[in-house]
Amino acid sequence: MGHVTRSTSRDARVASGPRIAISTTTGQELSGPLPGLPRTNVSTDYVDAVLAAGGVPVMLPLFDPERYPIVDDQLEGVDALVLTGGQDIDPSRYGQERRPECGESLPVRDAYDLRLLEAARSRGIPVLAICRGFQLVNVAGGGTLVQDLPTDRPSEVAHWQSGAPDQPTHTVSVTPGGLLAQAVGEVDLAVVSYHHQGVDQLGRGLVVEATAPDGLVEAVRAEQGWLLAVQWHPEMSHRHDRRGLALFELLVSAASG
Ligand code: MN
């Protein structure tokens, strides 16, 4: 676990950081020689944020975990997990009918990510969950989501921001004494926000770590074990936002412990 020494092909000994797994999504190639070819991918921002924090990024391709019950095997040798952003979770996962405003879901990703979270938690490795990952953590704990904030819970806060995607916009108020406060301090933190859903009923075993000015829950931690989940996108701002990078550094530090 954590900082280990590995042999390179030239047999030099090099110290490397902890192995940080990053969850993926699937989509189709839009351009290039084979448009329409199915692809498994992840936003490069997550990879760069893990690298900048001193971790060794490892991508985890998703698949049907019922057909191939080997998600736990994928975590062999992994020291921490980043659950990434993406599609809306299917409302059936939290006992609701789909409303027209709910975005597209990818059922295989819902199944895979829920299994991945469960596997990471039972292994006891630290988890940083972002955006969809944050919502997934809430759903896994039996909580519910607001399917569309603009129609269900109109607010002055622009949770889907306009302007540059790497520039923090709305603020969140960080809960004193929590896990997030360790990384960024007990501050009003400016964050990059791209979400149209949010936490409605809080899942079991979760503690609120930050809220938006309109009262929306923006971050939680687990009561037991190491898990931090944020609704915003620290990976998008980490290149010039010290407090965005700090979340990944906190994860790498937890993974090294
Ligand atoms: Mn927000």
Side-chain angles (χ1 to χ4, degrees):
M1 294 283 287
H3 288 281
V4 293
T5 305
R6 294 191 176 86
S7 245
T8 67
S9 56
R10 294 162 61 195
D11 209 27
R13 307 294 285 180
V14 291
S16 73
R19 295 168 68 82
I20 312 294
I22 305 172
S23 71
T24 55
T25 188
T26 57
Q28 292 186 336
E29 186 87 334
L30 297 177
S31 59
L34 293 168
L37 188 74
R39 289 276 183 190
T40 300
N41 60 59
V42 66
S43 156
T44 307
D45 286 344
Y46 294 103
V47 178
D48 289 350
V50 165
L51 287 167
V56 176
V58 179
M59 278 171 67
L60 296 181
L62 68 84
F63 48 79
D64 178 355
E66 301 299 325
R67 184 170 178 197
Y68 301 102
I70 55 168
V71 176
D72 187 68
D73 299 320
Q74 275 186 304
L75 291 178
E76 199 63 51
V78 160
D79 301 312
L81 170 67
V82 177
L83 270 180
T84 58
Q87 303 86 347
D88 289 353
I89 295 161
D90 194 283
S92 66
R93 293 283 181 183
Y94 46 94
Q96 291 184 11
E97 296 287 320
R98 168 175 291 271
R99 302 200 19 228
E101 296 83 7
C102 184
E104 187 177 281
S105 298
L106 189 57
V108 67
R109 189 177 179 194
D110 289 348
Y112 177 86
D113 281 358
L114 285 164
R115 181 69 196 96
L116 177 61
L117 175 61
E118 189 185 350
R121 296 285 284 156
S122 40
R123 278 180 174 256
I125 61 174
V127 177
L128 174 63
I130 292 171
C131 196
R132 165 196 162 84
F134 162 88
Q135 294 166 359
L136 191 94
V137 162
N138 192 56
V139 168
T144 62
L145 302 179
V146 178
Q147 288 193 35
D148 185 58
L149 292 169
T151 49
D152 297 342
R153 199 178 292 188
S155 157
E156 295 295 303
V157 179
H159 290 291
W160 194 279
Q161 71 183 51
S162 51
D166 63 343
Q167 297 297 323
T169 54
H170 83 64
T171 59
V172 301
S173 178
V174 175
T175 306
L179 195 52
L180 186 57
Q182 282 179 29
V184 301
E186 295 168 9
V187 291
D188 280 349
L189 184 67
V191 299
V192 172
S193 189
Y194 288 102
H195 59 107
H196 81 111
Q197 299 196 322
V199 163
D200 190 4
Q201 189 186 328
L202 194 66
R204 291 179 301 275
L206 300 176
V207 181
V208 174
E209 285 268 321
T211 52
D214 57 8
L216 195 68
V217 175
E218 289 270 354
V220 297
R221 74 168 187 273
E223 276 172 1
Q224 295 184 340
W226 204 104
L227 179 147
L228 179 63
V230 302
Q231 180 65 87
W232 65 90
H233 285 279
E235 82 284 2
M236 292 174 85
S237 64
H238 82 273
R239 292 177 185 86
H240 53 76
D241 168 21
R242 196 66 199 79
R243 287 179 166 135
L245 179 60
L247 269 65
F248 288 89
E249 291 174 338
L250 188 70
L251 180 73
V252 166
S253 166
S256 310

